[in-house]
Structures are given as structure tokens and as C-alpha cells.
């Protein structure tokens, strides 16, 4: 192997590590932002629909918690199975989401933050090869752990989410 090939491989590995660190930072920052957005608000305020037809802050919190759980289960499959089939998830008619939204917002926040920390710890331990573990998703041709976690971070930062409009 030539010196330039070794340098290119090292550069590629460094770029890949940096990309993973950016995903982790975004996921960590989102948890801080969620905590900030709901700080000091009571159950009534969090449950209020300030825009007709849009989700309340509590429902948004429950949605991102539910999506995080879906993605965590997908991570299990991606890391333990060879090229697993990954099912599409949509919030419409999700009974588990509805059950979450019926509980107090403080519980939803505590669960989101605790589960986010567990996810971050888990992701920090992944090897570069783990980040590339593939799966088959109906909407993405090249689906792997990296794409999934990048998508999760993007989903939470999406302008539609901040407005309470989660239409895919």
C-alpha cells in the first residue's frame, strides 16, 4: 500500500469519525433544547394547542420520544441482524404515541431525557464498522446506522417539527 493510499484511508476514517461526532453533538444539543423549551411550563401550558390542528408541546415531546424509541429498536436490529428489513414508521394511528400523550408531560420529559442519554452512550461505543451496518428501508436505498441517526437528528431539528407540523 502506498503512502498516499494510507493517507487517504486515514483522512477518510477521520472524516467518518467527525461526522459521527457531529451527529452525537446534534442529538445531545437537541435534548438540551427540549429541556429549555419546556422549562417552567405546567401541564396545562404544555398541553395547550396554540395553533389549531397542530400538536401541543407535550404531543411534540411525546412524538420525539416515540420516534427515538422506534429508532432505538431499529438500532437493535441493525446491530444484531444482517441487513434487516426496517419498517416505515408514521405517527398516524400509533396507539403507543396516544398512550404516551395521555400521561403527564413531566413523565414524558424525564423518559425522553433518560432514553436520549442511554442512546448517546450506546452510540458513543459504536465502532466505525457498526455505524455502517446496513438495513433495508422502503424509502432509502442506502440505509445504515449512520443514515438512521443522522435522520433522527434532522427530524428533531426540522422546521415543521418546531411548528408542530409533522406531516411527512
Amino acid at each position: 500500500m502506498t503512502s498516499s493510499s494510507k493517507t487517504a484511508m486515514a483522512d477518510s476514517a477521520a472524516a467518518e469519525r467527525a461526522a459521527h461526532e457531529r451527529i452525537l453533538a446534534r442529538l445531545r444539543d437537541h435534548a438540551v433544547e427540549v429541556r429549555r423549551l419546556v422549562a417552567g411550563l405546567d401541564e396545562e401550558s404544555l398541553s395547550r394547542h396554540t395553533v389549531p390542528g397542530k400538536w401541543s408541546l407535550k404531543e411534540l415531546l411525546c412524538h420525539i420520544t416515540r420516534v427515538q424509541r422506534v429508532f432505538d429498536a431499529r438500532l437493535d436490529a441493525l446491530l444484531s441482524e444482517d441487513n434487516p428489513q426496517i419498517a416505515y414508521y408514521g405517527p398516524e394511528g400509533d396507539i403507543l404515541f396516544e398512550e404516551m400523550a395521555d400521561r403527564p408531560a413531566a413523565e414524558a420529559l424525564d423518559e425522553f431525557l433518560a432514553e436520549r442519554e442511554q442512546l448517546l452512550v450506546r452510540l458513543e461505543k459504536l465502532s466505525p464498522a457498526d455505524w455502517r451496518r446496513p438495513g433495508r428501508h422502503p424509502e432509502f436505498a442506502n440505509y445504515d446506522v449512520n443514515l438512521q441517526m443522522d435522520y433522527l437528528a434532522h427530524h428533531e431539528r426540522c422546521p415543521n417539527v418546531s411548528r408542530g407540523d409533522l406531516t411527512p
Side-chain angles (χ1 to χ4, degrees):
M1 183 177 287
T2 68
S3 169
S4 62
S5 296
K6 289 179 185 177
T7 301
M9 287 176 55
D11 289 348
S12 177
E16 192 174 9
R17 278 192 305 277
H20 299 154
E21 288 301 320
R22 283 191 301 275
I23 292 169
L24 292 169
R26 286 169 41 211
L27 291 170
R28 193 173 289 110
D29 290 348
H30 294 172
V32 170
E33 185 68 5
V34 166
R35 184 189 306 264
R36 184 192 69 76
L37 286 170
V38 302
L41 297 176
D42 61 13
E43 184 71 26
E44 181 182 333
S45 298
L46 290 167
S47 299
R48 186 175 304 122
H49 291 259
T50 57
V51 177
K54 304 296 181 189
W55 285 351
S56 66
L57 282 174
K58 176 182 171 181
E59 289 166 327
L60 284 168
L61 174 60
C62 290
H63 174 72
I64 62 173
T65 303
R66 178 69 177 116
V67 169
Q68 180 171 263
R69 289 176 181 173
V70 167
F71 277 50
D72 195 52
R74 288 177 176 180
L75 182 61
D76 287 340
L78 289 164
L79 294 175
S80 65
E81 301 172 32
D82 288 331
N83 203 27
Q85 181 66 47
I86 304 297
Y88 167 81
Y89 171 77
E92 311 81 21
D94 182 348
I95 301 299
L96 295 175
F97 164 76
E98 292 173 16
E99 290 172 2
M100 292 170 69
D102 285 340
R103 298 178 38 226
E107 286 180 26
L109 177 62
D110 290 344
E111 289 173 359
F112 169 74
L113 294 172
E115 291 170 20
R116 175 54 53 95
E117 187 56 35
Q118 291 170 348
L119 178 61
L120 288 166
V121 167
R122 189 174 183 196
L123 293 172
E124 288 168 345
K125 294 177 182 178
L126 295 182
S127 70
D130 289 336
W131 281 91
R132 291 187 298 272
R133 292 210 29 113
R136 294 170 286 125
H137 190 284
E139 296 180 328
F140 300 96
N142 298 307
Y143 194 86
D144 62 8
V145 171
N146 185 79
L147 176 69
Q148 174 181 262
M149 291 303 129
D150 190 44
Y151 187 92
L152 178 62
H154 172 74
H155 173 266
E156 291 177 3
R157 220 29 167 187
C158 165
N160 291 345
V161 172
S162 64
R163 290 193 307 261
D165 180 3
L166 296 168
T167 308

